[in-house]
């Protein structure tokens, strides 16, 4: 866990490229392989702060294998179905360091009510890393897609587990609302798990139906975390 006294503000340059090649096997299931490249450099502290030793230039390449099951009725704004992706990465940092990552992402979408206009989203997300990965390849808690009450990467460690729940109201004309909450935790190992380490968050959002044809929303979310931490997000499409 990190204290606000350990805060570091910096700017940097980052390039992340990923490509996946999937093959349909049965029903809504796919298997595939992938390639990834990660470059991080030009870490510069904001005036008044000092960089930590792990904020250094790195280049890494890797390969992945994955399984995916996807029964969502829309990739943009799903209202029914499920999504499961399990990825195993094997990465090589060009400073002669091997590390691996396991990522599991499960999402469930349920339309409720007589007209299926009330939508309930559930998400479980987990990352485990082995070895010494670059800064952005650790399990990172916070940001637009998980625990929206914290900024991206506010907490990080070898392992990350996040549980989220979101409810979206029916539209009135093109306007809808969303209410979300959940919790997440980062930890170096199972023996270090503690109930006090979970990071709760909750928030509210507004949706503007931008495109009636494919259901694309313009999204505005406001999330609150512990100790007054918060985040505001504006984007097209849903958080998950």
């Amino acid at each position: 866990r990190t204290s606000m006294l350990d805060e570091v503000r910096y700017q940097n340059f980052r390039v992340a490229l990923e490509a996946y090649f999937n093959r349909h096997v049965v029903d809504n299931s796919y298997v595939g392989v992938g390639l990834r490249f990660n470059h991080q450099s030009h870490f510069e502290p904001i005036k008044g702060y000092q960089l930590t030793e792990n904020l250094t230039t790195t280049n890494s390449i890797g390969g992945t294998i994955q399984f995916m099951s996807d029964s969502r009725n829309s990739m943009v704004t799903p209202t029914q179905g499920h999504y499961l992706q399990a990825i195993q990465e094997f990465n090589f940092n060009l400073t002669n360091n091997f590390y691996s990552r396991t990522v599991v992402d499960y999402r469930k979408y349920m339309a409720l009510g007589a007209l299926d206009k009330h939508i309930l989203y559930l998400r479980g997300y987990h990352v485990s890393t082995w070895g010494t990965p670059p800064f952005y390849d650790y399990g990172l808690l916070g940001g637009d897609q998980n625990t929206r009450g914290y900024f991206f990467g506010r907490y990080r460690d070898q392992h990350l587990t996040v549980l989220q729940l979101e409810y979206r109201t029916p539209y009135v004309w093109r306007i809808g609302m969303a209410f979300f909450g959940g919790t997440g935790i980062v930890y170096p190992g199972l023996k270090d798990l503690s109930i006090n380490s979970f990071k709760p968050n909750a928030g509210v959002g507004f949706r503007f139906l931008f495109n009636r044809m494919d259901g694309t929303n313009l999204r505005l979310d406001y999330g609150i975390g512990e100790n007054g931490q918060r985040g505001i997000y504006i984007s097209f499409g849903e958080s998950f």
Side-chain angles (χ1 to χ4, degrees), residues 1-38:
R1 293 180 289 175
T2 56
S3 165
M4 294 302 290
L5 297 176
D6 298 320
E7 180 181 17
V8 177
R9 296 190 180 186
Y10 63 91
Q11 57 188 9
N12 74 300
F13 177 76
R14 181 188 179 208
V15 176
L17 302 174
E18 297 182 350
Y20 296 101
F21 308 91
N22 295 316
R23 182 178 180 84
H24 179 254
V25 287
V26 62
D27 295 332
N28 299 306
S29 300
Y30 303 81
V31 295
V33 296
L35 299 171
R36 67 192 308 266
F37 169 77
N38 191 344

Side-chain angles (χ1 to χ4, degrees), residues 123-126 140-141 146-147 160-164 183-185:
R123 187 190 192 196
Y125 182 75
H126 178 82
L140 301 175
L141 186 149
N146 74 65
T147 49
L160 162 72
T161 301
V162 174
L163 298 175
Q164 297 183 89
T183 188
I185 185 173

Side-chain angles (χ1 to χ4, degrees), residues 95-114:
T95 56
N96 298 319
N97 171 45
F98 174 82
Y99 67 97
S100 63
R101 293 203 323 156
T102 302
V103 181
V104 180
D105 185 356
Y106 178 75
R107 313 171 192 180
K108 178 66 176 178
Y109 307 90
M110 294 174 285
L112 309 175

Side-chain angles (χ1 to χ4, degrees), residues 24 26 34 41 43 49 70-71 81 86-87 119 131 137 152 154-155 160 164 190:
H24 179 254
V26 62
S41 64
F43 286 93
Y49 294 89
D70 189 354
S71 67
I87 303 175
I119 312 300
D137 269 357
F152 177 67
R154 171 62 183 90
Y155 300 98
L160 162 72
Q164 297 183 89
L190 289 177

Side-chain angles (χ1 to χ4, degrees), residues 101-159:
R101 293 203 323 156
T102 302
V103 181
V104 180
D105 185 356
Y106 178 75
R107 313 171 192 180
K108 178 66 176 178
Y109 307 90
M110 294 174 285
L112 309 175
L115 300 177
D116 291 340
K117 298 296 185 180
H118 299 265
I119 312 300
L120 188 65
Y121 296 159
L122 301 171
R123 187 190 192 196
Y125 182 75
H126 178 82
V127 176
S128 283
T129 60
W130 290 270
T132 306
F135 182 82
Y136 287 104
D137 269 357
Y138 281 94
L140 301 175
L141 186 149
D144 179 45
Q145 296 187 347
N146 74 65
T147 49
R148 281 164 273 182
Y150 307 91
F151 62 80
F152 177 67
R154 171 62 183 90
Y155 300 98
R156 69 183 185 93
D157 215 318
Q158 297 289 132
H159 307 281

